[in-house]
Amino acid sequence: MTAKEEFEIQLKDHVEVLQQHISSEDGQWAVKGFIDVFRNVYTISSDTKIVSKILEIHLFPKILEFSQRHGYRIVLPEHQNHYPDISFVKSDDESVKFAVDFKTTYRNPDKAYLCNGFTLGSHGEYFQNRDSTKNIRFPYKSYAGHFCLGIIYDRIENTAIDETRPHKLEELQAIKSVVGNFQFFVAEKWKIASDKRGSGNTANIGSINRIMDIINGDGMFSQLGEDWFDEYWINFNKITIPDNKGGTKKINNLKEFVAYRNGDSSLIVPKNNSDPSKVRY
């Protein structure tokens, strides 16, 4: 077993501890809001950025326990928005490093088998130049693996939460959580990647959206392999080929890239947003 395989197994085993840490018995988030010195509790917004940050803070003590149990030290980024969220460095062999990013997203309220998706890091400077330290804690190539520790959740209807008034501490148990029904996953980021950017024109890799495929690591590159993932995103929108109108275009989809490189296009896993319960075999 490789160090990467062992790390992934350890992290997946730890997910159950994380689940119990943040969830009440009825599946709600254990965090109800924030408290002031006068013992007033203020509910928080369901804004995804706020939820994501508080979840990270809530989970961090258990992540620290994980690192200590398995012989890693944690190295955090020196600047906000640098990659990754956490670097795990083996205490007895500092050449062994793993990058872990927290990823949180919510289920589609109308199609619960889909989530809103998320970004998987930049395909810019540090991804293309594997020796670079720009916007990354250690050079990309120094990591033995790049993982997502993800949480998929339900947003609670805003009508069930009154954000306009503070609550007394004695009312804590009666306060409705803004999110709940958590589902954790651990995956190498290349296994859950799509071939599209995840945030408009920024240089961020997008994820797939079907929850079953995320949990199983069945992204578009999952059968092609990590080398294809690297090569595709290093060359994203850089290679020029003829179009069918007598002009040229840039390659920005996996099918055209695999064909250009004479690969086996049958290994591409199409991005599938259909309801898995309705698929006939």
Side-chain angles (χ1 to χ4, degrees), residues 61 63-73:
I63 297 298
L64 187 59
E65 286 180 12
F66 167 84
S67 68
Q68 293 170 341
R69 181 181 303 117
H70 295 291
Y72 291 93
R73 65 182 180 89

Side-chain angles (χ1 to χ4, degrees), residues 43-48 51 154-164 176-179:
T43 56
I44 60 175
S45 166
S46 60
D47 179 273
T48 53
V51 169
D154 288 338
R155 298 167 104 178
I156 306 303
E157 290 284 345
N158 288 333
T159 54
I161 301 165
D162 185 358
E163 298 180 23
T164 64
K176 193 76 172 178
S177 302
V178 294
V179 298

Side-chain angles (χ1 to χ4, degrees), residues 11 14-23 29 31 51-67 74 86 88 100-104 149-152 182-185:
L11 194 55
H14 195 63
V15 158
E16 185 174 343
V17 175
L18 302 180
Q19 181 93 30
Q20 295 170 351
H21 179 64
I22 68 169
S23 297
W29 191 11
V31 171
V51 169
S52 177
K53 189 60 184 178
I54 297 176
L55 275 170
E56 288 183 29
I57 296 170
H58 196 184
L59 288 171
F60 194 80
K62 294 300 179 183
I63 297 298
L64 187 59
E65 286 180 12
F66 167 84
S67 68
I74 285 178
I86 298 179
F88 288 87
V100 175
D101 258 359
F102 289 112
K103 297 299 174 186
T104 61
L149 173 56
I151 309 172
I152 302 169
F182 297 104
Q183 185 173 13
F184 280 77
F185 68 88

Side-chain angles (χ1 to χ4, degrees), residues 136-182:
I136 188 170
R137 189 62 183 84
F138 300 106
Y140 196 92
K141 72 176 186 181
S142 69
Y143 292 99
H146 298 263
F147 290 90
C148 295
L149 173 56
I151 309 172
I152 302 169
Y153 57 85
D154 288 338
R155 298 167 104 178
I156 306 303
E157 290 284 345
N158 288 333
T159 54
I161 301 165
D162 185 358
E163 298 180 23
T164 64
R165 70 175 184 91
H167 301 263
K168 293 300 181 183
L169 188 58
E170 292 74 19
E171 301 176 85
L172 186 63
Q173 294 298 328
I175 300 173
K176 193 76 172 178
S177 302
V178 294
V179 298
N181 191 20
F182 297 104

